[in-house]
Amino acid sequence: MSDAHAGDAAGLEVGFFLDWIERTASAVAAEKERLTSLDAAIGDGDHGTNLDRGFTAARAALEAKPPEFPGAALVQVGTTLISSVGGASGPLYGTVFRRTGKALGEAESVSARELADAIAAGLAGVQKLGGASVGDKTMVDVFVPALDALLAGLADGASVDGAFGAAADVAESAARSTIPLRARKGRASYLGERSEGHEDPGAASAALLWRALAESVGGRAR
Amino acid sequence: MSDAHAGDAAGLEVGFFLDWIERTASAVAAEKERLTSLDAAIGDGDHGTNLDRGFTAARAALEAKPPEFPGAALVQVGTTLISSVGGASGPLYGTVFRRTGKALGEAESVSARELADAIAAGLAGVQKLGGASVGDKTMVDVFVPALDALLAGLADGASVDGAFGAAADVAESAARSTIPLRARKGRASYLGERSEGHEDPGAASAALLWRALAESVGGRAR
Amino acid sequence: MSSMKKLINSPESVVSDALAGLAAAHPGLTVDVERRIVRRAAHASTAGKVALVSGGGSGHEPLHAGFVGPGMLDAACAGEVFTSPVPDQMLAAAQAVDAGAGVLFLVKNYTGDVLNFQMAAELLEDEGIESRSVLINDDVAVEDSLYTAGRRGTGATLFAEKIAGALAERGADLAAVAGVAERVNATSRSFGIALGPCTTPAAGQPSFQLGEDEIEVGIGIHGEPGRRRAPMAPAAELAGLAVEAVCADLDFTGDAIALVNGMGASPLLELYVVYNEVQAALKSRGVSIVRNLVGNYVTSLDMPGFSVTLCRADADLVDLWDAPVNTPALRWGA
Amino acid sequence: MSSMKKLINSPESVVSDALAGLAAAHPGLTVDVERRIVRRAAHASTAGKVALVSGGGSGHEPLHAGFVGPGMLDAACAGEVFTSPVPDQMLAAAQAVDAGAGVLFLVKNYTGDVLNFQMAAELLEDEGIESRSVLINDDVAVEDSLYTAGRRGTGATLFAEKIAGALAERGADLAAVAGVAERVNATSRSFGIALGPCTTPAAGQPSFQLGEDEIEVGIGIHGEPGRRRAPMAPAAELAGLAVEAVCADLDFTGDAIALVNGMGASPLLELYVVYNEVQAALKSRGVSIVRNLVGNYVTSLDMPGFSVTLCRADADLVDLWDAPVNTPALRWGA
Ligand SMILES: Nc1ncnc2c1ncn2[C@@H]1O[C@H](COP(=O)(O)OP(=O)(O)O)[C@@H](O)[C@H]1O
Ligand SMILES: Nc1ncnc2c1ncn2[C@@H]1O[C@H](COP(=O)(O)OP(=O)(O)O)[C@@H](O)[C@H]1O
Ligand SMILES: [Mg+2]
Ligand SMILES: [Mg+2]
Ligand SMILES: [Mg+2]
Ligand SMILES: [Mg+2]
């Protein structure tokens, strides 16, 4: 059990996803001020408040109307984020969750690999919506390498725990790697070269999301 | 000459009054910031600027149209102050000078005693206009004791220099004596007890005027 | 809070420069920049109408120049920042706009304004032009006693200018126009709270210092400190304080016209929050707001804060309030 | 400069509280405080009229809710402070005000606004209601390149709302109303300068730090720093900078409509000083201002500073500009 492998039959069920959202919501709440102050430096200082409002609403929505399968949970989270966050991150994160959820369909249990593929669909949705590529200093800068790491880890036959853990590590270092970049999307792009030297707030929040995911995977294993 | 006495025949001519205004204007310019910051504490922070604007205008008016006799000089100064200062101090100081000047009539030369009596008329004008009595924390708190000291000095047969010098000393200490008072007139009265502990700006400027007068008297004697 | 940085060319030229801008922006006004007199453009027909003239220190914009135009003032005189204008200005303004029916001076009760308008009225009498002066003294933060210069004139000035202006426009005579201005003043009260100081261009320093959690309660409009300092509190409490002070002084039970006025640097978003609390507090006291203004009308440069002004609203006053007005800062029905 | 002290009850309730105040103050508006939608009061007859819907983050008041009313917007959606509203709001607003002739969304070009309005438009299509969206992107401080999110929408939003609103009122169809909004946007440019930061209620900290003699040049309306920092300078120079930036980007020779806009905490006195310099600088470039606004219209909470917006003024646009409008913040001819 503690050494679940990529090919493991033990799938991720709806409880796992509720746990992921719960952990994400807690992490966002805990890091709210840091996210907001990152946004104040190169944006408008609301990213932490925005996401905290959104994940608080998502948590409440999941409690009010408990979803029956993983895809439904993520679609519900995405829809709630879209309806409650606003700003750039609302539609973008909302789309990540909605598309990921839709890709999971109505399965009651999904494998790690299926989840990774679904996240790829979510990421594609965000890139289509926001038009950002890697290097534009956005959340995409975290999602792309983290997902790559996850896929690679799962393909290597590493443990599921290890694959998600490695993906979270990559996400965190990818977030820090946005520091020297000049923003080309979103509000920070208005600053031109003055956006250099600051971590992108959306990249920072994406790293929280990946870490929460890894923790849920780890927690499940225990 | 250096010991001109109250009874002295040597009168004060128009040049003396021009000198007085010149010295007053210089003193006001030099003390502008102090007057303004006294006013900021218990008023609206414009007293120094107001008087500086007024005496600069008065100086210019006297140069543009040199008066022929003492009374004309002071009326001209008063009229200019009224037309250029505004606020409370414009009409009040304007009235002091106008009434003092009018009281001097068309005499080419006036005695120290005649000047003191004329200032008494100016003071009466201000008190009628503004309704302030001694203790209300205004310029009147300086004018009344300074004039009393001047009249007393002249009556005692002290030297003219000495009488005016003593009046200026009294004026300066009277200005400081406004510090503990609670204002009952003008803008500072809005503060009620919070006006206590601050020197009244109009009292401070009145002391400058009395000191300039004493210096003109002293300068004349040299 | 207040800033030393200002959008000016120099403290000396700020009033003239602003008047030049006002002239350029409003073709409906004739502005004598040198003498600092703003009046309705020459073409406005006002024959036989009582002329309304007001004025005061600058720094309270849009008061007064922003209220010159059909339905309101005929002329306004601008002094230096926070300094009453001089009698020459008031005299010249009155002479320029007198249309044979006399002049009403609307004067905020400050020693400087009172004395300068008084001198102007005397000079005007010498010119054979009849005038009346109405003193506005609505600020309940100041005790009206022998021991003060009396209550300050603040927000009610706008009410008096609007309502007397409307009556003058209808052809009422000087006594009637002065009478309604007096009635407005007698039935209006104001109270203000500042969250910080303001900075005059000349001083270049904040008018007072406040701690991060302090406010000034009972402030005027010249950056003077208030009657007392208090700890910062939610909008509901601050609005309650102002409403309490105003209503303790005069019974407003019934209908009222209300002004929730920004002192200059408080965002409109916040002023609407305050309005919401003010109307709720009034409702619970049986006061119903039938007309209102929310915004920066009688300001104190860059001071953050607000004031509340109420005027008892009988049908006559409301009718005059609703009459058309067309000025830079207040416009409806035209 | 910006203050931590605010006239609010809590950062969480500031938008709702302000909307409740707006509702109480303006009987001509119907305000759904919970869903944060402001629209014209039900009785206004708009059958067959193209409906104009705008919205955006709060903190820019009077934009947008202050421009709802006859002659201008049909509805406005308010987001959290500096945060775009959500698609549900825009959808509900559009459904409420659609009068059968379709809906024009006027959208300031920020990623958040664009994405949320885009989602709303998709949802609206599902409901069988036709819509068009016009992006406003007038701020020349932002390079319009592949390397940015494109130019921000600022002062031209007011111009588009007024002018498209007037055309809609005249019964033009959706394509025509969208067309004129696009034309206004294409012929408008803005540039802003801040003397200090602003403070959002949630952050409670100034959005940036400036030295006593520094300014931010090329700022937006969300407290973001500008393109560069510069030393403080006289109003004439700052106005010149803004005029230069605007005119370098588009030739305004001829007639123009001008907005000299306060960012929130700069006194009106100073804005008139700026207006004076702006009109002089324009005159020397052969640009003549035929209509103007001076005041706080598109603000950034308590930020001190100003922006200049110009729109090329042909006879059609001026005619639409002059058409009656009756909203809380813009009113004439009615
Ligand atoms: N076009 C885009 N594609 C992907 N992510 C984006 C895009 N634009 C902005 N973002 C992300 O959104 C974050 C800002 O979110 P937030 O502050 O909540 O919204 P807003 O910028 O509207 O205030 C940025 O840090 C960035 O990571
Ligand atoms: N009624 C009065 N009688 C005499 N002096 C007065 C009266 N009111 C005010 N003053 C004096 O005027 C001074 C303030 O002058 P100033 O600051 O120039 O005018 P303002 O108060 O209009 O700004 C006060 O310090 C006080 O000495
Ligand atoms: Mg943001
Ligand atoms: Mg003063
Ligand atoms: Mg003064
Ligand atoms: Mg935002």
Side-chain angles (χ1 to χ4, degrees):
Chain A
M1 269 251 263
S2 69
D3 200 10
H5 278 75
D8 245 353
L12 307 166
E13 297 177 5
V14 69
F16 166 85
F17 288 91
L18 298 181
D19 183 64
W20 177 25
I21 299 309
E22 182 54 40
R23 286 179 192 271
T24 304
S26 303
V28 164
E31 299 287 313
K32 180 175 154 177
E33 313 233 304
R34 184 173 69 93
L35 295 176
T36 287
S37 69
L38 290 176
D39 195 30
I42 55 171
D44 59 351
D46 60 0
H47 188 58
T49 325
N50 285 349
L51 285 196
D52 185 44
R53 184 173 59 249
F55 280 99
T56 302
R59 179 155 41 184
L62 293 173
E63 263 174 39
K65 204 175 148 235
E68 294 187 358
F69 44 86
L74 297 190
V75 167
Q76 199 174 338
V77 168
T79 306
T80 307
L81 291 179
I82 290 173
S83 302
S84 64
V85 174
S89 56
L92 291 167
Y93 271 120
T95 296
V96 171
F97 282 98
R98 272 177 62 89
R99 292 288 168 100
T100 304
K102 285 198 172 178
L104 293 179
E106 305 198 352
E108 302 240 328
S109 169
V110 300
S111 71
R113 174 66 204 220
E114 282 164 346
L115 175 55
D117 288 340
I119 293 177
L123 173 57
V126 162
Q127 290 196 268
K128 181 158 180 259
L129 185 64
S133 319
V134 171
D136 286 351
K137 195 169 182 138
T138 71
M139 57 176 71
V140 169
D141 287 4
V142 165
F143 269 93
V144 169
L147 180 62
D148 283 351
L150 175 60
L151 288 167
L154 295 175
D156 280 0
S159 75
V160 168
D161 284 33
F164 279 92
D169 292 346
V170 166
E172 281 163 3
S173 85
R176 283 190 301 274
S177 301
T178 62
I179 295 177
L181 300 181
R182 182 179 306 191
R184 287 191 294 223
K185 287 288 170 195
R187 214 174 271 291
S189 71
Y190 302 147
L191 295 183
E193 63 186 23
R194 288 178 77 184
S195 65
E196 296 168 13
H198 300 273
E199 184 172 343
D200 176 62
S205 59
L208 296 181
L209 197 141
W210 280 93
R211 176 59 63 199
L213 180 57
E215 285 173 3
S216 290
V217 169
R220 176 205 59 126
R222 256 169 247 128
Chain B
M1 271 249 263
S2 69
D3 201 10
H5 278 77
D8 246 353
L12 306 165
E13 296 176 6
V14 69
F16 166 85
F17 289 90
L18 297 181
D19 183 63
W20 178 25
I21 299 311
E22 181 55 40
R23 286 179 193 270
T24 305
S26 304
V28 164
E31 299 287 313
K32 178 176 154 176
E33 313 231 303
R34 184 173 68 92
L35 296 176
T36 287
S37 68
L38 290 177
D39 195 30
I42 55 170
D44 59 351
D46 60 0
H47 188 58
T49 325
N50 285 349
L51 285 195
D52 186 43
R53 183 172 62 250
F55 281 100
T56 302
R59 180 154 42 184
L62 293 173
E63 263 174 38
K65 202 175 148 236
E68 293 187 358
F69 44 87
L74 296 191
V75 168
Q76 198 175 337
V77 167
T79 306
T80 306
L81 292 179
I82 291 172
S83 302
S84 63
V85 174
S89 56
L92 291 167
Y93 271 120
T95 295
V96 171
F97 282 98
R98 273 176 60 89
R99 292 288 167 100
T100 304
K102 282 197 174 180
L104 293 179
E106 305 198 352
E108 302 240 326
S109 169
V110 300
S111 71
R113 174 68 205 222
E114 283 164 346
L115 175 55
D117 289 340
I119 292 177
L123 173 57
V126 162
Q127 290 196 268
K128 182 158 180 260
L129 184 65
S133 319
V134 171
D136 287 351
K137 194 167 183 143
T138 72
M139 58 177 70
V140 169
D141 286 3
V142 165
F143 268 94
V144 169
L147 180 62
D148 283 350
L150 176 60
L151 288 167
L154 295 175
D156 281 359
S159 74
V160 169
D161 284 33
F164 279 92
D169 292 346
V170 166
E172 281 163 2
S173 83
R176 282 190 302 274
S177 300
T178 63
I179 295 177
L181 300 181
R182 183 179 305 191
R184 286 190 295 223
K185 288 287 168 192
R187 213 174 271 291
S189 70
Y190 302 147
L191 295 184
E193 64 186 23
R194 288 179 77 185
S195 65
E196 295 168 14
H198 300 274
E199 185 172 343
D200 176 62
S205 59
L208 296 180
L209 196 143
W210 280 93
R211 176 59 63 201
L213 180 58
E215 285 173 2
S216 290
V217 168
R220 178 206 58 126
R222 256 167 245 127
Chain C
M1 299 236 199
S2 81
S3 161
M4 324 291 132
K5 281 177 269 177
K6 302 198 165 287
L7 299 168
I8 63 174
N9 291 315
S10 74
E12 292 71 35
S13 69
V14 58
V15 174
S16 304
D17 290 349
L19 288 174
L22 191 81
H26 303 289
L29 300 178
T30 295
V31 180
D32 182 337
V33 174
E34 208 184 318
R35 291 199 297 178
R36 303 183 171 188
I37 299 170
V38 177
R39 54 196 176 86
R40 304 188 192 178
H43 54 81
S45 123
T46 53
K49 190 185 89 60
V50 169
L52 265 72
V53 175
S54 192
S58 294
H60 309 302
E61 291 67 26
L63 187 82
H64 298 269
F67 300 136
V68 174
M72 220 160 159
L73 295 179
D74 290 273
C77 306
E80 284 295 329
V81 171
F82 291 171
T83 302
S84 154
V86 299
D88 312 43
Q89 289 172 275
M90 298 147 184
L91 174 65
Q95 287 178 302
V97 299
D98 173 55
V103 175
L104 176 65
F105 288 122
L106 288 168
V107 185
K108 301 195 297 301
N109 188 37
Y110 299 95
T111 306
D113 295 70
V114 170
L115 297 181
N116 284 284
F117 270 100
Q118 188 176 316
M119 290 192 163
E122 283 166 23
L123 295 168
L124 195 62
E125 198 179 351
D126 294 348
E127 303 293 323
I129 297 178
E130 196 189 356
S131 76
R132 287 275 303 266
S133 294
V134 171
L135 279 192
I136 310 295
N137 62 346
D138 53 314
D139 183 358
V140 302
V142 177
E143 260 180 85
D144 190 11
S145 77
L146 278 178
Y147 306 110
T148 69
R151 287 182 166 170
R152 298 174 285 221
T154 61
T157 315
L158 184 166
F159 289 172
E161 291 179 359
K162 171 66 185 81
I163 288 171
L167 191 64
E169 218 73 44
R170 291 183 183 171
D173 66 14
L174 183 55
V177 177
V180 83
E182 265 157 11
R183 185 147 72 91
V184 167
N185 182 58
T187 56
S188 293
R189 296 292 186 274
S190 295
F191 193 82
I193 293 176
L195 306 193
C198 62
T199 302
T200 62
Q205 295 287 333
S207 54
F208 50 79
Q209 301 285 351
L210 273 184
E212 244 332 303
D213 275 318
E214 279 179 332
I215 59 173
E216 285 279 347
V217 176
I219 46 120
I221 56 173
H222 296 92
E224 61 266 51
R227 284 302 290 249
R228 62 186 177 89
R229 232 156 243 210
M232 182 58 189
E237 232 171 273
L238 300 183
L241 260 180
V243 164
E244 163 69 32
V246 161
C247 293
D249 200 79
L250 186 69
D251 181 7
F252 280 97
T253 311
D255 289 350
I257 305 177
L259 165 65
V260 168
N261 175 60
M263 301 311 298
S266 282
L268 191 53
L269 185 75
E270 297 178 22
L271 298 181
Y272 275 112
V273 171
V274 172
Y275 183 77
N276 191 42
E277 301 299 342
V278 164
Q279 62 92 24
L282 286 173
K283 191 182 269 173
S284 75
R285 287 171 177 269
V287 185
S288 148
I289 301 180
V290 294
R291 295 293 184 276
N292 70 80
L293 288 175
V294 182
N296 293 334
Y297 290 99
V298 181
T299 61
S300 197
L301 291 171
D302 56 351
M303 179 180 270
F306 72 100
S307 63
V308 173
T309 304
L310 297 184
C311 174
R312 279 195 199 146
D314 62 34
D316 278 2
L317 294 190
V318 172
D319 186 53
L320 289 164
W321 181 259
D322 288 343
V325 59
N326 184 351
T327 70
L330 220 58
R331 184 169 179 179
W332 55 73
Chain D
M1 297 236 200
S2 81
S3 163
M4 324 291 131
K5 279 176 271 178
K6 303 200 165 285
L7 299 168
I8 63 174
N9 291 316
S10 75
E12 293 70 34
S13 69
V14 58
V15 174
S16 304
D17 289 349
L19 287 175
L22 191 81
H26 302 288
L29 300 178
T30 294
V31 180
D32 181 338
V33 174
E34 208 184 318
R35 291 200 297 180
R36 304 186 172 187
I37 298 170
V38 177
R39 55 193 175 85
R40 304 187 192 179
H43 55 80
S45 121
T46 51
K49 192 185 87 64
V50 169
L52 265 73
V53 175
S54 191
S58 294
H60 308 302
E61 291 66 27
L63 190 80
H64 298 268
F67 299 136
V68 173
M72 221 158 158
L73 296 178
D74 290 273
C77 307
E80 283 295 327
V81 171
F82 292 173
T83 301
S84 155
V86 300
D88 312 45
Q89 289 171 277
M90 297 147 184
L91 173 65
Q95 287 178 301
V97 299
D98 174 55
V103 175
L104 176 64
F105 289 122
L106 288 168
V107 185
K108 301 195 299 300
N109 187 38
Y110 299 94
T111 305
D113 295 69
V114 171
L115 297 182
N116 284 284
F117 270 101
Q118 187 175 315
M119 291 191 162
E122 282 165 24
L123 296 169
L124 195 63
E125 198 180 348
D126 295 349
E127 302 293 322
I129 297 178
E130 195 189 359
S131 75
R132 287 275 303 266
S133 293
V134 172
L135 280 190
I136 309 296
N137 62 347
D138 53 314
D139 183 357
V140 303
V142 177
E143 259 180 87
D144 189 10
S145 77
L146 279 178
Y147 306 111
T148 69
R151 287 183 166 170
R152 298 175 284 223
T154 60
T157 315
L158 184 165
F159 289 172
E161 291 178 0
K162 171 68 186 81
I163 288 171
L167 191 64
E169 219 71 45
R170 290 184 184 170
D173 66 15
L174 183 55
V177 177
V180 82
E182 265 157 11
R183 185 148 70 89
V184 167
N185 182 56
T187 56
S188 293
R189 296 291 187 275
S190 295
F191 193 82
I193 293 176
L195 306 192
C198 61
T199 302
T200 62
Q205 294 287 334
S207 54
F208 49 78
Q209 300 285 352
L210 272 184
E212 244 330 303
D213 274 318
E214 280 179 333
I215 58 173
E216 285 279 347
V217 176
I219 45 122
I221 56 174
H222 297 92
E224 61 265 51
R227 285 304 290 246
R228 62 184 178 89
R229 231 155 244 212
M232 182 57 190
E237 232 170 273
L238 301 183
L241 260 180
V243 164
E244 163 70 32
V246 163
C247 293
D249 199 79
L250 186 69
D251 182 6
F252 280 98
T253 311
D255 289 350
I257 304 177
L259 164 66
V260 168
N261 176 60
M263 300 311 298
S266 282
L268 191 53
L269 184 76
E270 296 178 22
L271 298 181
Y272 275 112
V273 171
V274 173
Y275 183 77
N276 191 42
E277 301 299 341
V278 164
Q279 62 92 24
L282 286 172
K283 191 183 268 174
S284 75
R285 286 169 178 271
V287 184
S288 148
I289 303 180
V290 294
R291 294 293 183 276
N292 71 80
L293 288 175
V294 181
N296 294 334
Y297 289 99
V298 182
T299 61
S300 196
L301 291 172
D302 57 351
M303 179 180 269
F306 71 99
S307 63
V308 174
T309 304
L310 296 184
C311 174
R312 278 193 200 149
D314 62 33
D316 279 2
L317 294 191
V318 171
D319 186 52
L320 290 164
W321 181 258
D322 288 343
V325 60
N326 184 353
T327 71
L330 220 58
R331 184 168 179 180
W332 54 73

